[in-house]
């Protein structure tokens, strides 16, 4: 089965990102066409990009980079679960993307974004510039959650509406389509 990695882009204490990602992982498992893994940038705790050489060369010096490389290499598709910080993506996400090159390329990426009125969409637009430079294929079908706080219940669990469930399913279908057809490009 194709491997989908759901990357949690927010690492701050009390983040909404984790419950949103946990909901999405369940939706992706129900979808049934991916082997789904949650990748939490808080757990990875990568230092600010500290490799002496350009990632394109793949000459990694540090063990944390070698581990991150192995992690991303095995994926066939990604979903970035990301808030909007000052109209952009989070610094940990940009850092995690910058670390590698070949490991990302020819792989599709979907976005589950959230925030205030914009639902994180401005951050997604910024992220698209970065992921296309890494030769990833960002798909337009997305899950955008405006006013994310209202979907959290008293235990802090994310409770999606039918509309959000539907947009997750549509995104997963499209992501799977791209994942199937991009795999041969990496052979
Ligand atoms: C540093 C910072 C910058 C933010 N900037 C924006 C913003 O530009 N647009 C927006 O809609 N929300 C913004 N917010 C509000 C976030 O959408 C909200 O705090 C959300 O819960 C952040 O995701 P997280 O809890 O997973 O970290 C910002 C929050 C922080 C902490």
């Amino acid at each position: 089965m194709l491997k989908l990695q759901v990357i949690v882009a927010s690492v701050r204490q009390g983040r909404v990102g984790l419950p949103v990602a946990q909901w999405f992982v369940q939706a992706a498992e129900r979808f049934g066409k991916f082997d789904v893994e949650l990748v939490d940038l808080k757990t990875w705790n990568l230092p600010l990009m500290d490799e002496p050489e350009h990632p394109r060369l793949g000459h990694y010096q540090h063990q944390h980079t070698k581990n991150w490389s192995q992690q991303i290499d095995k994926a066939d598709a990604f979903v970035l679960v990301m808030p909007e910080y000052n109209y952009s993506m989070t610094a940990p996400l940009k850092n995690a993307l910058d670390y590698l090159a070949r490991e990302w390329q020819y792989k599709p990426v979907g976005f589950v974004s959230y925030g205030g009125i914009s639902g994180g969409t401005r951050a997604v637009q910024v992220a698209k510039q970065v992921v296309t430079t890494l030769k990833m294929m960002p798909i337009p079908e997305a899950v955008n959650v405006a006013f994310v706080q209202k979907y959290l219940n008293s235990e802090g669990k994310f409770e999606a509406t039918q509309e959000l469930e539907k947009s997750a399913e549509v995104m997963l279908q499209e992501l799977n389509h791209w994942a199937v057809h991009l795999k041969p490009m990496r052979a």
Side-chain angles (χ1 to χ4, degrees), residues 9-47:
S10 160
V11 302
R12 71 183 184 90
Q13 198 180 355
R15 64 209 163 128
V16 168
L18 189 59
V20 175
Q22 285 164 339
W23 158 70
F24 186 79
V25 163
Q26 285 186 352
E29 281 168 348
R30 273 197 306 276
F31 176 72
K33 291 189 183 170
F34 285 115
D35 180 5
V36 188
E37 184 183 2
L38 188 121
V39 178
D40 188 350
L41 293 185
K42 188 177 174 71
T43 313
W44 275 88
N45 198 22
L46 291 164

Side-chain angles (χ1 to χ4, degrees), residues 33-100:
K33 291 189 183 170
F34 285 115
D35 180 5
V36 188
E37 184 183 2
L38 188 121
V39 178
D40 188 350
L41 293 185
K42 188 177 174 71
T43 313
W44 275 88
N45 198 22
L46 291 164
L48 287 176
M49 207 309 229
D50 58 355
E51 284 292 332
E53 296 191 58
H54 195 293
R56 209 167 35 224
L57 302 171
H59 296 160
Y60 304 131
Q61 306 290 310
H62 301 296
Q63 194 55 47
H64 54 257
T65 317
K66 291 175 188 167
N67 296 344
W68 184 233
S69 165
Q70 267 185 6
Q71 173 68 37
I72 297 306
D73 206 27
K74 64 186 181 185
D76 297 298
F78 300 97
V79 166
L80 303 179
V81 178
M82 50 182 289
E84 180 170 290
Y85 283 0
N86 297 313
Y87 288 24
S88 188
M89 74 180 98
T90 65
L93 175 59
K94 177 65 164 57
N95 188 50
L97 289 165
D98 287 342
Y99 255 103
L100 308 174

Side-chain angles (χ1 to χ4, degrees), residues 132-147:
T132 50
T133 309
L134 291 165
K135 302 192 195 179
M136 300 172 90
M137 176 61 209
I139 61 166
E141 291 77 7
V143 181
N144 306 124
V145 187
F147 303 114

Side-chain angles (χ1 to χ4, degrees), residues 119-177:
T121 50
R122 294 171 294 219
V124 169
Q125 289 307 107
V126 175
K128 282 180 179 173
Q129 288 190 354
V130 178
V131 299
T132 50
T133 309
L134 291 165
K135 302 192 195 179
M136 300 172 90
M137 176 61 209
I139 61 166
E141 291 77 7
V143 181
N144 306 124
V145 187
F147 303 114
V148 65
Q149 286 294 339
K150 71 178 186 188
Y151 300 96
L152 297 176
N153 70 15
S154 54
E155 280 126 42
K157 190 169 176 239
F158 184 78
E159 290 190 337
T161 58
Q162 272 195 336
E163 254 178 8
L164 290 172
E165 297 283 358
K166 183 70 195 165
S167 42
E169 195 190 322
V170 170
M171 181 173 83
L172 284 158
Q173 267 163 4
E174 192 66 11
L175 198 63
N176 187 262
H177 192 56

